[in-house]
Amino acid sequence: MSVLYVIVLCIFFSYAAADTPANCTYEDIRGVWNFYEGERSGSNDIDCTNFDGPIVNTLKIELLFPNVAVDELGNKGYWTIVYNQGFEVVINYRKFFAFSKYTDDGHGNVTSYCDSILAGWSHDVLGKNWACYTGKKVAPTSGIKVHYEKRLVEGAIFRQDKNFIRQINKVQKSWVATAYPELEGLPVATILNRNGGIKSRIHRSPKIGFGASEVSKSLLSRWPEQFDWRDVNGVNYVSPVRNQGSCGSCFAFSSMGMLESRLRIATNNSVQVTFAPQDVVSCSEYSQGCEGGFPYLVAGKYAQDFGVVPEDCNPYTGKDGKCSEKECKRYYVADYKYIGGFYGACNEDLMKLELVANGPIVVSFEVYPDFQQYKGGIYHYTGLQSGFNPFLITNHAVLAVGYGTEPKTGEKFWIVKNSWGEGWGENGFFRIRRGTDECNIESIAVAAKIIP
Ligand SMILES: *[C@@H]1O[C@H](CO)[C@@H](O)[C@H](O)[C@H]1NC(C)=O
Ligand SMILES: *[C@@H]1O[C@H](CO)[C@@H](O)[C@H](O)[C@H]1NC(C)=O
Ligand SMILES: *[C@@H]1O[C@H](CO)[C@@H](O)[C@H](O)[C@H]1NC(C)=O
């Protein structure tokens, strides 16, 4: 098999630049905040890392259910939490994003201070007049939360478990499991990075379901029963499957994959660019390099604020590295969103509407050990555990390119592009059960509109 792994043995236990371990929920964030903002005179190269004033503006903003933000003068905007990592507010034509505050003592003791933020970035909706800001929640106050990050025993090695694979194939007939010999002997840490990185565990989103509106219901009644961007009247709009190797960069591959595909769709396939995940891994402050990140902040926010570059500008190394200074053409997105408008509002119908209308969408799901062994069919979690391998549930970002229904069984599925090479699964793709929020896959879909 042509799967090439770049094995980096040491990265796993250095937590210096980890995917943030903050774990703040919607209820922790909702309420009244004061933002303390510095001078609005910077550009996107502003460094907010150690922002310490001077404070020029103090803004009092109330974050209301479900996604309404209101300032002291009554101006309205909107907001969303970004997974459990932080939150973005758009009000008075300015965008504010910051990660929630946390400390990590390096030994697994993590404290989230959900009523505070790390210094964040604000700018107007045209991407101008950047400033740094900090913030403090005024009411209701949320306490600190301490949790312990489970760490793996250093040096754990992955072993194929034949009995595990046999069991998977015995208990169900929807999908088939197989051994992948090339995984044998890899550090378990590498396998987990491939699955999204151990810090990418997120709690289930609050489900704020409003159900489908009348408009979307009437649209859906005329929507295709099945759809596949790899074959729209014989034309393929999906760029080739790639391999992320051992870097926890699935969020960058899935994000670039969406932009590549949507650029093809927007240009009738006449512009076929491969975008560089390495640029995101090495340069984005909205994500944590090979230790993880989240598509909303990459396909969305990074692509809007900084743009993405073609692969040959910053070829993939699969490692963290210094940001390349090379000047290249950058592509930007005009708009980005969680499907449903904010985190918590996603559902199957809205995903189908967005996917067919505008192109593939980035989705994330919980990876359990059986998924590793997927060879083909319609995946669902079997509940089985491997007897050999220590395991942590991670959150893996991938690209949904279509959907359908199995004629014989009536089982509905999504068609999804992975970033584990073409030798994995169904030529690099997999299908997963649709309509039941399997492994959380219908809860955090992201879409962005690329400017061709
Ligand atoms: C994050 O917080 C939620 C809700 O408070 C909790 O259920 C979940 O276990 C937490 N996750 C971690 C990794 O501590
Ligand atoms: C964990 O970290 C918090 C905050 O830094 C601290 O108050 C607490 O004592 C620590 N607990 C342990 C067991 O180290
Ligand atoms: C799109 O491309 C196809 C194949 O090159 C071509 O036949 C078709 O006319 C194009 N459509 C438009 C609207 O240009």
Side-chain angles (χ1 to χ4, degrees):
M1 249 171 234
S2 62
V3 188
L4 182 84
Y5 290 98
V6 186
I7 302 176
V8 186
L9 284 161
C10 56
I11 54 172
F12 202 62
F13 294 87
S14 58
Y15 279 92
D19 186 307
T20 110
N23 183 27
C24 299
T25 64
Y26 181 84
E27 287 305 332
D28 292 331
I29 302 299
R30 175 151 79 117
V32 183
W33 283 78
N34 278 343
F35 286 170
Y36 307 100
E37 197 185 31
E39 184 154 14
R40 295 177 173 180
S41 58
S43 58
N44 69 2
D45 58 6
I46 196 169
D47 182 2
C48 293
T49 320
N50 298 309
F51 173 65
D52 188 23
I55 306 299
V56 177
N57 298 305
T58 300
L59 299 90
K60 187 173 211 165
I61 295 175
E62 182 161 16
L63 306 177
L64 297 164
F65 177 88
N67 68 330
V68 179
V70 185
D71 73 6
E72 279 176 294
L73 300 170
N75 294 305
K76 281 196 179 148
Y78 52 93
W79 70 286
T80 178
I81 53 167
V82 178
Y83 309 92
N84 55 356
Q85 304 271 293
F87 60 102
E88 188 175 48
V89 181
V90 183
I91 192 162
N92 292 333
Y93 308 106
R94 279 188 80 78
K95 291 193 177 193
F96 298 81
F97 170 73
F99 288 106
S100 291
K101 187 173 169 184
Y102 63 90
T103 56
D104 181 348
D105 72 353
H107 301 288
N109 178 17
V110 175
T111 309
S112 300
Y113 302 86
C114 297
D115 58 357
S116 295
I117 51 178
L118 301 176
W121 305 263
S122 78
H123 56 74
D124 65 29
V125 294
L126 301 177
K128 309 258 192 264
N129 295 326
W130 285 59
C132 303
Y133 73 103
T134 57
K136 185 80 189 158
K137 193 176 176 192
V138 212
T141 49
S142 14
I144 66 164
K145 281 200 279 190
V146 180
H147 72 270
Y148 290 87
E149 294 274 325
K150 200 169 159 200
R151 311 253 150 136
L152 284 174
V153 182
E154 192 159 2
I157 291 299
F158 185 84
R159 290 164 62 200
Q160 298 288 329
D161 182 343
K162 297 249 164 58
N163 187 42
F164 178 47
I165 294 164
R166 245 193 320 271
Q167 282 298 318
I168 298 171
N169 289 330
K170 203 168 131 196
V171 299
Q172 53 81 42
K173 293 276 164 273
S174 285
W175 63 279
V176 176
T178 192
Y180 284 98
E182 67 272 24
L183 299 182
E184 185 75 25
L186 287 180
V188 171
T190 299
I191 306 271
L192 292 179
N193 255 355
R194 202 174 89 116
N195 295 356
I198 68 150
K199 292 291 189 85
S200 69
R201 284 164 302 148
I202 57 181
H203 61 85
R204 285 183 176 262
S205 64
K207 275 282 180 187
I208 305 169
F210 294 109
S213 68
E214 291 309 313
V215 177
S216 60
K217 268 189 218 149
S218 106
L219 270 175
L220 273 168
S221 66
R222 288 179 278 129
W223 228 236
E225 282 295 306
Q226 53 185 45
F227 193 84
D228 187 348
W229 280 110
R230 295 172 304 176
D231 179 5
V232 182
N233 303 320
V235 181
N236 175 18
Y237 294 93
V238 178
S239 50
V241 170
R242 300 187 63 186
N243 195 335
Q244 68 185 85
S246 66
C247 170
S249 52
C250 57
F251 67 95
F253 277 87
S254 51
S255 295
M256 297 308 105
M258 176 172 72
L259 301 180
E260 288 162 6
S261 227
R262 286 178 168 228
L263 184 58
R264 290 173 182 222
I265 294 164
T267 63
N268 192 23
N269 257 337
S270 64
V271 183
Q272 304 198 348
V273 182
T274 302
F275 291 121
Q278 191 63 45
D279 176 70
V280 174
V281 167
S282 304
C283 305
S284 170
E285 289 188 63
Y286 299 153
S287 52
Q288 289 73 35
C290 283
E291 302 254 305
F294 290 97
Y296 181 85
L297 297 175
V298 171
K301 198 167 176 67
Y302 182 73
Q304 176 160 96
D305 290 351
F306 298 91
V308 296
V309 299
E311 174 70 12
D312 58 10
C313 179
N314 201 345
Y316 191 59
T317 64
K319 289 179 218 163
D320 287 316
K322 203 169 161 291
C323 180
S324 159
E325 302 278 318
K326 196 167 161 190
E327 296 276 340
C328 308
K329 176 175 164 71
R330 303 194 83 93
Y331 288 80
Y332 295 87
V333 302
D335 196 11
Y336 58 91
K337 62 174 184 190
Y338 283 114
I339 289 172
F342 56 96
Y343 183 38
C346 189
N347 63 44
E348 178 200 2
D349 288 346
L350 295 174
M351 287 167 67
K352 280 170 69 179
L353 287 171
E354 173 67 28
L355 187 144
V356 175
N358 296 315
I361 55 183
V362 184
V363 293
S364 304
F365 69 108
E366 288 164 351
V367 176
Y368 291 91
D370 60 359
F371 184 73
Q372 217 76 248
Q373 316 296 151
Y374 172 91
K375 181 61 199 160
I378 303 169
Y379 174 80
H380 66 270
Y381 174 43
T382 60
L384 297 168
Q385 306 298 327
S386 160
F388 296 158
N389 301 303
F391 200 84
L392 298 170
I393 299 165
T394 55
N395 199 273
H396 184 41
V398 286
L399 186 70
V401 301
Y403 59 84
T405 306
E406 172 64 40
K408 275 198 227 110
T409 58
E411 192 173 14
K412 300 194 298 178
F413 57 82
W414 297 109
I415 305 164
V416 188
K417 182 187 177 190
N418 201 353
S419 48
W420 295 352
E422 286 184 339
W424 182 88
E426 298 180 333
N427 300 316
F429 290 79
F430 64 98
R431 286 174 294 154
I432 183 168
R433 200 176 264 180
R434 169 167 64 92
T436 55
D437 199 17
E438 180 65 38
C439 296
N440 234 0
I441 199 161
E442 282 148 16
S443 63
I444 39 183
V446 169
K449 290 191 174 146
I450 190 159
I451 304 171

